[in-house]
Amino acid sequence: MNLMNDNPISTRTATELARRPANASTTPSLMNLERILTTMAGTERRREVKRLRARRKKTANLLARVKAGSIDKAEAARKLRRLTPGADVVIAREGLA
């Protein structure tokens, strides 16, 4: 079995697991896991920004469809509620309720 791959987290964890005694637990310790997760803060922020931009684009597309008349206002409100946590503000602002 190959424990090393291109993922730096897996590589680091696999290396640390390989150094452990045979009778040690095969799962990484909680402190080790916390250290691994806190070193990826920039990546998580990038994912968060990407999700935000995608929501904005989808919301704008949905509102454009409402203005064009190709979708019912109630259906658009339902989709907005499912899409974004701030849907109530958008629905009130656009007069979809």
Side-chain angles (χ1 to χ4, degrees), residues 8-94:
I9 294 173
S10 298
T11 304
R12 182 174 26 210
T13 306
T15 306
E16 290 170 2
L17 288 173
R19 282 189 240 145
R20 292 179 181 200
N23 61 354
S25 172
T26 58
T27 58
S29 68
L30 185 60
M31 195 164 73
N32 183 31
L33 184 61
E34 184 179 348
R35 179 181 57 82
I36 291 169
L37 292 176
T38 56
T39 59
M40 295 178 30
T43 304
E44 176 60 28
R45 176 64 181 152
R46 200 171 303 125
R47 282 189 223 140
E48 182 182 348
V49 168
K50 185 177 179 180
R51 283 191 301 264
L52 174 66
R53 288 177 180 155
R55 272 197 312 266
R56 282 183 183 165
K57 190 174 182 178
K58 287 179 181 181
T59 303
N61 185 21
L62 199 57
L63 293 175
R65 287 177 61 195
V66 168
K67 291 188 191 315
S70 65
I71 188 171
D72 187 37
K73 287 184 177 185
E75 179 70 11
R78 183 187 67 79
K79 288 184 177 188
L80 276 172
R81 284 189 188 96
R82 195 176 65 185
L83 176 67
T84 181
D88 294 330
V89 175
V90 177
I91 291 168
R93 184 185 69 211
E94 299 296 326

